Amino acid sequence: MRARDGGVCRVTQRSSKNATIIEVARRAGVSSATAGRVLGGYGYSSSEVQEKVRAAAAALGYRPNRLAKGLITGKTQTIGVVVGDIESPFYASVLRGIGDVARRGGFGVIVTNSDENAELEREAVQLLLEKQVDGLIVSSTFVDEPDHLREAVAARCPVVQFDRIVAGLETDSVVVDNVSVTRNSIAAMIAAGHSRIGILAELGPGHRDDVGSFVANVDLSSFDVRYHHPSWQRLLGYLEAHRAAGIEPDPRLIRRVAVYSSEAARKEALDLLTMRNTPSALFTADGVMSTGVLEATSALRLAIPGDVSLLCFDDLDWMQFVAQGITAIAQPAHLIGAAAAELLLKRLAQASLPFEHRVLAARLVERNSIAVHRNREAV
């Protein structure tokens, strides 16, 4: 409550101090233990006692202390989430999906950001475990050796992985079929006559530092994409589309953007678009790469698709407002988050269930950024 004295706004004692369980119990005429059982939702109390306690709590403006309740019940009704980049539109949509499902299930969400840094991810997971979250939803930067996640699972804190799966870590998971949607989308570019398609991708983290060697030697029939970063999976789809069309990919067109930023992607795109035998089309493996490419084409005054065709992974809001519109692959980001939260709540309700691995489909959103190439007949 607020009151005014001579034009000065002051806060009364009631709103500056949260009522305690002891005060609620005194007002209701019951013991603090009884009041705690009623407000904590555990143990037995008669309907008459419950009514008295809740009325007293409402009158005093009592707010339950979830941490204190957790010490008694072993549950805090909170979910911890670790994402790679909290500013990314993709992660923002995933978080919305997680939040929608968690809220309906009576859970709160604590979000932390790893900045795609392994040490920061370890710290984030440790912080969430110290907060005694009931479970974790993680998009890990690790390919292997995720000791912090294994320790969480060993401590009986359920973990759901999304977007990326760590090798050897058995948990529930939600991913997108990156390979198929990329293969089919690149195949459409090839069908439009494009045989020189540049690709810009983070391609990390991973075991393969030599991209050229990977492209030359990878066995597409036996390569297990499950435990690789999504950018590697999208590269695999790119390679599959080329080989299915009988086109040997040029390693010079495959650009690994070492520093994950639009500026680094811009520099790689500038180099691609000014090389002697320039690509007629570009494929970007995520939204950050797409931003860099648009900055490069603008700097070079290139028209899309008149001078260069463009296909982007991740359908960002601005892509529909760019002249001609940008053809993009849309991930079901909200559904990814919702599915991850559903799996975690399901696991919290019944820990002995078999682990579930959900693979969701992405879709191609066709606009007008891919032109028919003049060499189509040759292709």
Side-chain angles (χ1 to χ4, degrees), residues 75-189:
K75 301 293 182 183
T76 59
Q77 294 297 111
T78 55
I79 293 170
V81 183
V82 183
V83 298
D85 180 7
I86 203 168
E87 293 183 338
S88 161
F90 167 73
Y91 283 121
S93 295
V94 170
L95 288 171
R96 179 59 187 265
I98 292 172
D100 288 347
V101 172
R103 184 171 57 254
R104 290 198 299 268
F107 282 76
V109 178
I110 302 175
V111 180
T112 56
N113 187 45
S114 72
D115 274 336
E116 301 290 1
N117 179 286
E119 191 53 42
L120 290 179
E121 181 183 317
R122 290 183 189 276
E123 292 177 4
V125 169
Q126 182 60 36
L127 172 66
L128 293 170
L129 293 177
E130 289 173 357
K131 294 293 184 182
Q132 299 190 20
V133 295
D134 295 330
L136 293 169
I137 298 176
V138 181
S139 178
S140 183
T141 63
F142 286 76
V143 174
D144 51 21
E145 299 181 3
D147 294 340
H148 57 306
L149 296 179
R150 288 199 177 94
E151 289 168 3
V153 172
R156 296 185 180 179
C157 178
V159 174
V160 175
Q161 301 178 77
F162 76 93
D163 193 42
R164 312 159 188 178
I165 302 177
V166 177
L169 183 67
E170 290 296 319
T171 72
D172 296 303
S173 58
V174 183
V175 297
V176 165
D177 187 351
N178 290 294
V179 178
S180 293
V181 71
T182 301
R183 179 181 61 242
N184 295 338
S185 300
I186 296 295
M189 297 183 85

Side-chain angles (χ1 to χ4, degrees), residues 157-361:
C157 178
V159 174
V160 175
Q161 301 178 77
F162 76 93
D163 193 42
R164 312 159 188 178
I165 302 177
V166 177
L169 183 67
E170 290 296 319
T171 72
D172 296 303
S173 58
V174 183
V175 297
V176 165
D177 187 351
N178 290 294
V179 178
S180 293
V181 71
T182 301
R183 179 181 61 242
N184 295 338
S185 300
I186 296 295
M189 297 183 85
I190 293 172
H194 298 280
S195 58
R196 290 185 58 77
I197 303 171
I199 173 175
L200 292 94
E202 178 192 5
L203 297 181
H207 298 296
R208 298 171 172 83
D209 295 322
D210 184 351
V211 175
S213 175
F214 171 76
V215 171
N217 300 311
V218 63
D219 182 351
L220 300 181
S221 63
S222 63
F223 182 72
D224 190 344
V225 301
R226 290 176 299 171
Y227 306 122
H228 289 79
H229 191 278
S231 58
W232 284 100
Q233 296 174 14
R234 293 162 196 168
L235 172 59
L236 186 68
Y238 168 94
L239 295 176
E240 286 187 351
H242 279 75
R243 295 191 181 175
I247 300 172
E248 190 61 35
D250 183 348
R252 293 173 299 174
L253 298 181
I254 301 172
R255 298 302 178 98
R256 183 176 196 170
V257 182
V259 178
Y260 188 63
S261 69
S262 60
E263 173 59 19
R266 183 186 72 86
K267 291 178 179 178
E268 289 290 347
L270 285 172
D271 189 60
L272 262 176
L273 294 169
T274 54
M275 64 189 295
R276 170 172 265 181
N277 191 4
T278 60
S280 63
L282 295 179
F283 168 59
T284 57
D286 63 45
V288 172
M289 303 297 107
S290 302
T291 301
V293 165
L294 262 292
E295 291 171 352
T297 55
S298 177
L300 295 172
R301 299 181 181 276
L302 297 177
I304 298 173
D307 296 315
V308 61
S309 292
L310 180 61
L311 167 67
C312 299
F313 206 107
D314 283 334
D315 185 23
L316 306 181
D317 289 341
W318 56 263
M319 290 179 177
Q320 60 184 305
F321 302 117
V322 174
Q324 304 301 320
I326 303 297
T327 298
I329 296 171
Q331 297 193 76
H334 184 278
L335 183 57
I336 292 171
E342 288 169 1
L343 286 174
L344 185 56
L345 297 189
K346 191 175 176 182
R347 177 69 50 195
L348 289 170
Q350 191 171 347
S352 61
L353 290 172
F355 290 122
E356 187 172 343
H357 177 59
R358 294 189 187 178
V359 181
L360 307 181

